[in-house]
Amino acid sequence: MPLSKIAGIGMYVPEKVVTNDDLKQFMETDDAWIQERTGIKERRFAHRTEETTTTMGVEAAKIAIERAGITPQDIDFIVFATLSPDYYFPGCGVLLQRALKMKEVGALDVRNQCSGFLYALSVADQFIRSGMYQNILVVGAEKHSMGLDFSTRGRNVSVIFGDGAGAVVLQPTTKEGQGVLSTHLHSDGGSAEILAQYNPGSHANHWMEQPVADFDEAVIGETFMSHHMIDKAQLFPFMDGPSVFKKAIVKFPEVIVEALTKNGYSPADLNMLIPHQANLRISQFVQQKLQLRDDQVFNNIMKYGNTTAASVPIALCEAWEKGLVKEGDLVCLAAFGSGFTWASALIKW
Ligand code: UT7
């Protein structure tokens, strides 16, 4: 059973840089608050009409495919992770297949928010191990800037997120001991509503202890998307930040140690930890808890904010481009977010 390896990696971020001070034209906030609580200095926002989650994914994918030394026609399966798809349906996978003129290969969309890329990688890894596919394109991309509440009301969420995309090509490895050693996936739906975008959706308040919208069965169209939802800002994501933070700093170290232990390693053996870029304070907590040196953890949230499903491949790509991830290195990828879902992958590069 061959392990899978990352044969090519690419990233794309939009040109437009939005600083913390730039956000002040929309909301009451300040650079010091954002930097102190999150570490973020700036983020990128996609072009309003010319860029989408898919087009950014396509740009990252082109680089990953070229670096793998293959062409889009060699890809035999696509896994695309995002929470901000171009359309409610169909997913971004087929749009990317069309844009890159690929063969009529399978395209799977993953909706696991911050851990989406790791779930996608894990699925692709199983297909490679089973021998079913030889060149799988795994993409994480987000265009958050289109769907956030930029008024003061939404500032606890909107200052955190940024746009971008990352992609990898997964292939069977030919080298003994090299590749994705294991992946670890978890969920706890007990807190599904504390980091969520409820609408539009089929829930009609079913899960809500406190309904988020007035529900009148007589007005069927109103249950999915209504003027009420627009007026009450219920088409934006909701986040109880402090509760997410408390859970994240427990689950991040747990799932990293799980991956290391499974393969007979300890944190000291790690060459590089690439945590999902949710908040610099979360990464620092994790680093402290695992007693890792600064050179064992890579962070770039300062430049890009939280790009959700794109954050792990963007960070991994930057670390690799800077020469911080080299052949033979032990690399751990880890993520935690909405769901809650969390995950890790341990890779011998
Ligand atoms: O990747 C997805 C997973 N998400 C996460 O991992 C996020 C985890 N949580 C966090 O990163 C943090 O909870 C936040 C960065 C979201 C918030 O930081 P916090 O230290 O937990 O602040 P808070 O929500 O407790 O708010 C503290 C104060 C409040 O004011 P009062 O009530 O104390 O007067 C907020 O209204 O900060 C205020 N505030 C802001 N002030 C300036 C909230 N957002 C802002 C803002 N600018 N953008």
Side-chain angles (χ1 to χ4, degrees):
M1 197 173 64
L3 296 187
S4 68
K5 68 166 182 193
I6 293 178
I9 183 162
M11 63 175 273
Y12 173 82
V13 288
E15 261 179 44
K16 189 179 172 59
V17 176
V18 177
T19 65
N20 294 341
D21 280 336
D22 291 337
L23 293 174
K24 280 161 64 177
Q25 60 188 297
F26 310 111
M27 65 182 82
E28 284 171 35
T29 189
D30 69 280
D31 178 49
W33 189 97
I34 300 173
Q35 286 209 48
E36 192 184 308
R37 308 277 176 142
T38 70
I40 299 166
K41 294 178 198 281
E42 57 190 42
R43 72 286 294 140
R44 302 293 179 97
F45 280 0
H47 190 283
R48 198 82 180 157
T49 54
E50 285 172 18
E51 290 185 306
T52 73
T53 296
T54 301
T55 68
M56 290 188 282
V58 164
E59 293 310 314
K62 282 183 192 164
I63 299 167
I65 289 169
E66 197 190 333
R67 285 178 174 165
I70 58 172
T71 71
Q73 288 67 43
D74 296 317
I75 296 294
D76 47 20
F77 195 65
I78 302 159
V79 194
F80 199 124
T82 185
L83 67 68
S84 50
D86 295 28
Y87 300 139
Y88 191 75
F89 72 85
C92 293
V94 296
L95 303 180
L96 177 137
Q97 181 272 344
R98 176 175 69 187
L100 285 173
K101 300 184 173 53
M102 290 171 166
K103 288 186 294 195
E104 293 176 348
V105 299
L108 173 70
D109 279 65
V110 168
R111 298 195 48 186
N112 276 69
Q113 299 70 247
C114 304
S115 63
F117 180 79
L118 286 178
Y119 268 73
L121 187 76
S122 180
V123 169
D125 179 47
Q126 308 314 311
F127 276 130
I128 298 281
R129 283 173 185 249
S130 73
M132 185 147 171
Y133 298 120
Q134 306 299 308
N135 290 298
I136 305 184
L137 179 66
V138 184
V139 181
E142 304 286 359
K143 185 178 176 183
H144 284 303
S145 58
M146 200 76 179
L148 296 172
D149 181 357
F150 286 106
S151 71
T152 299
R153 182 183 52 198
R155 65 183 179 174
N156 70 316
V157 177
S158 52
V159 300
I160 295 173
F161 294 99
D163 301 339
V168 300
V169 171
L170 227 58
Q171 290 176 346
T173 178
T174 44
K175 273 197 188 151
E176 182 80 16
Q178 182 198 43
V180 178
L181 303 180
S182 62
T183 56
H184 305 268
L185 311 178
H186 295 281
S187 72
D188 173 6
S191 302
E193 281 76 22
I194 77 165
L195 173 47
Q197 181 171 329
Y198 311 120
N199 300 305
S202 68
H203 63 86
N205 293 333
H206 176 79
W207 301 100
M208 306 291 167
E209 280 172 31
Q210 289 180 320
V212 294
D214 295 335
F215 174 55
D216 180 351
E217 282 197 57
V219 194
I220 290 172
E222 292 280 287
T223 63
F224 188 70
M225 197 184 296
S226 66
H227 290 290
H228 180 93
M229 289 175 191
I230 295 168
D231 295 342
K232 299 283 177 190
Q234 289 168 348
L235 291 166
F236 295 119
F238 168 82
M239 178 169 74
D240 170 356
S243 299
V244 178
F245 193 102
K246 281 183 204 142
K247 190 87 170 181
I249 59 172
V250 174
K251 292 300 171 189
F252 257 112
E254 213 174 87
V255 79
I256 294 164
V257 169
E258 181 184 349
L260 289 166
T261 308
K262 160 94 181 166
N263 295 284
Y265 292 110
S266 72
D269 298 317
L270 267 181
N271 294 102
M272 188 55 78
L273 170 66
I274 310 274
H276 160 53
Q277 304 292 294
N279 181 324
L280 189 61
R281 283 164 59 217
I282 294 178
S283 293
Q284 287 166 343
F285 253 94
V286 175
Q287 177 177 345
Q288 217 174 9
K289 174 103 182 156
L290 300 179
Q291 296 184 313
L292 298 172
R293 300 180 309 270
D294 286 353
D295 65 297
Q296 287 176 292
V297 186
F298 187 79
N299 290 300
N300 61 5
I301 190 169
M302 308 68 109
K303 294 192 293 181
Y304 305 127
N306 178 343
T307 57
T308 313
S311 99
V312 169
I314 287 177
L316 180 60
C317 185
E318 264 202 6
W320 177 81
E321 285 174 355
K322 286 173 189 287
L324 301 173
V325 169
K326 304 173 295 297
E327 191 166 338
D329 280 357
L330 189 64
V331 180
C332 188
L333 315 179
F336 174 90
S338 161
F340 293 130
T341 62
W342 60 103
S344 62
L346 194 67
I347 303 172
K348 192 80 172 163
W349 199 266

